[in-house]
Amino acid sequence: MDVLIIEDELPARAKLIAMLKTLDPSIHVAAELGSVKETLEWLRQNKEPHLAFVDIQLSDDHSFEIFRQLQVKFPVIFTTAFDKYMMESFEFNSIDYLLKPITEDKLKRSLEKVKKLEQHFFLDNLQKIIQQQVTSSTGRVVARKGTEFVALNLEEIAYFFSEHKIVFVRDFTGRQMIVDKTLSELAEQMGSKAFFRLNRKFLSSQKAIERFKPDNGKIQVFLTPEIKEEVHVSKETAPEFRKWIGE
């Protein structure tokens, strides 16, 4: 397995490589990089690795900037001393999130997760599988819960919503998972009969609409499973919503 190490602290980098070699001697470190700029240059000139260990705070910027500037296919294990970036990391091919100091036990568990994913999906095709989450308007949605993938039938899905640039799906049992699609992409692929874009944050199935009421020209919608924030359909979209819910 070719592994990319993106870490600007040399002692931390050396310790990580030593532990990887101990846990799996077959691992080949394709490159050791320490900045966003250096990583972007390397990725543009070399074959992608099978896996990358990426520190979030690099010498010149957060490593998320690498994935904003360059679309990659390989899975990523983020490493950091802070847990505040965990949710954001899911936007960028993350399959695990290791808090420093990284121990051999933590690293071993991460490698075991990688091997499990490899058995089910094969690493070379993992990102394709992530991206092909909605197979058709009558198919299924693949969502992520931690490092696991969950296949949901459309009739199981109550609604999708976005929060801090992350899209979540909630099913009728109340489970909440991450979906690597935008709401616009999901709305296009779900079809307009079963799902409706209530507003910029919510895409709901008809079955999830428990009740609704007029609210100064807008429509307040009550969803099930219940969500704490108020959900409104705008004045402009209200006629279309009434038509959809009536059908």
Side-chain angles (χ1 to χ4, degrees), residues 2-246:
D2 290 333
V3 172
L4 188 62
I5 307 294
I6 305 174
E7 166 66 70
D8 62 342
E9 296 180 9
L10 296 182
R13 184 193 297 179
K15 182 180 178 182
L16 175 59
I17 293 172
M19 286 192 292
L20 285 171
K21 290 290 187 181
T22 299
L23 291 169
D24 188 349
S26 67
I27 285 177
H28 170 251
V29 178
E32 303 173 32
L33 307 166
S35 69
V36 170
K37 181 180 178 181
E38 187 181 15
T39 303
L40 287 170
E41 290 176 355
W42 190 91
L43 288 171
R44 288 180 178 124
Q45 297 173 14
N46 294 273
K47 180 183 176 182
E48 286 194 353
H50 296 107
L51 174 68
F53 287 87
V54 183
D55 185 19
I56 290 179
Q57 293 182 314
L58 299 177
S59 59
D60 56 349
D61 206 342
H62 285 177
S63 59
F64 296 145
E65 193 61 31
I66 296 167
F67 308 104
R68 291 190 181 103
Q69 293 190 36
L70 196 65
Q71 186 176 7
V72 301
K73 298 178 182 178
F74 55 84
V76 174
I77 295 175
F78 283 103
T79 63
T80 180
F82 308 96
D83 60 5
K84 62 182 179 180
Y85 302 110
M86 184 177 293
M87 296 306 295
E88 191 175 0
S89 73
F90 288 127
E91 296 184 56
F92 306 107
N93 295 29
S94 174
I95 61 169
D96 209 352
Y97 190 95
L98 293 179
L99 286 174
K100 295 180 178 179
I102 299 172
T103 64
E104 196 165 297
D105 284 343
K106 290 180 183 177
L107 190 59
K108 182 179 179 181
R109 286 195 292 269
S110 285
L111 290 175
E112 287 172 351
K113 289 178 184 178
V114 173
K115 289 177 181 177
K116 286 180 181 178
L117 288 173
E118 186 177 21
Q119 290 170 1
H120 290 286
F121 303 112
F122 302 107
L123 284 176
D124 286 339
N125 294 322
L126 180 57
Q127 186 58 20
K128 291 180 182 178
I129 291 169
I130 292 173
Q131 291 174 344
Q132 293 170 352
Q133 293 175 78
V134 184
T135 56
S136 71
S137 60
T138 57
R140 297 192 297 176
V141 173
V142 176
R144 285 192 292 163
K145 190 173 182 64
T147 59
E148 296 181 345
F149 293 83
V150 180
L152 295 170
N153 292 318
L154 297 193
E155 55 269 22
E156 296 179 85
I157 298 169
Y159 50 83
F160 302 92
F161 68 97
S162 64
E163 191 171 90
H164 305 301
K165 298 182 179 180
I166 301 172
V167 175
F168 297 90
V169 59
R170 187 170 288 177
D171 68 10
F172 284 102
T173 69
R175 290 186 302 174
Q176 182 169 303
M177 291 159 277
I178 291 173
V179 181
D180 292 318
K181 290 278 185 179
T182 66
L183 286 181
S184 296
E185 290 170 333
L186 288 165
E188 183 179 347
Q189 296 182 62
M190 290 291 100
S192 60
K193 291 185 178 180
F195 286 79
F196 189 86
R197 184 74 179 267
L198 302 176
N199 52 41
R200 64 182 183 84
K201 288 190 64 176
F202 284 87
L203 172 67
S204 176
S205 70
Q206 280 195 346
K207 290 196 299 181
I209 308 294
E210 185 178 68
R211 66 188 192 280
F212 60 93
K213 67 177 183 179
D215 185 8
N216 294 322
K218 298 185 290 185
I219 296 175
Q220 184 176 359
V221 176
F222 299 87
L223 298 171
T224 182
E226 185 179 358
I227 195 159
K228 291 182 180 179
E229 67 179 281
E230 289 190 358
V231 181
H232 288 89
V233 177
S234 70
K235 293 179 182 179
E236 293 76 17
T237 313
E240 187 180 350
F241 171 80
R242 290 193 183 94
K243 181 181 178 182
W244 172 76
I245 201 70

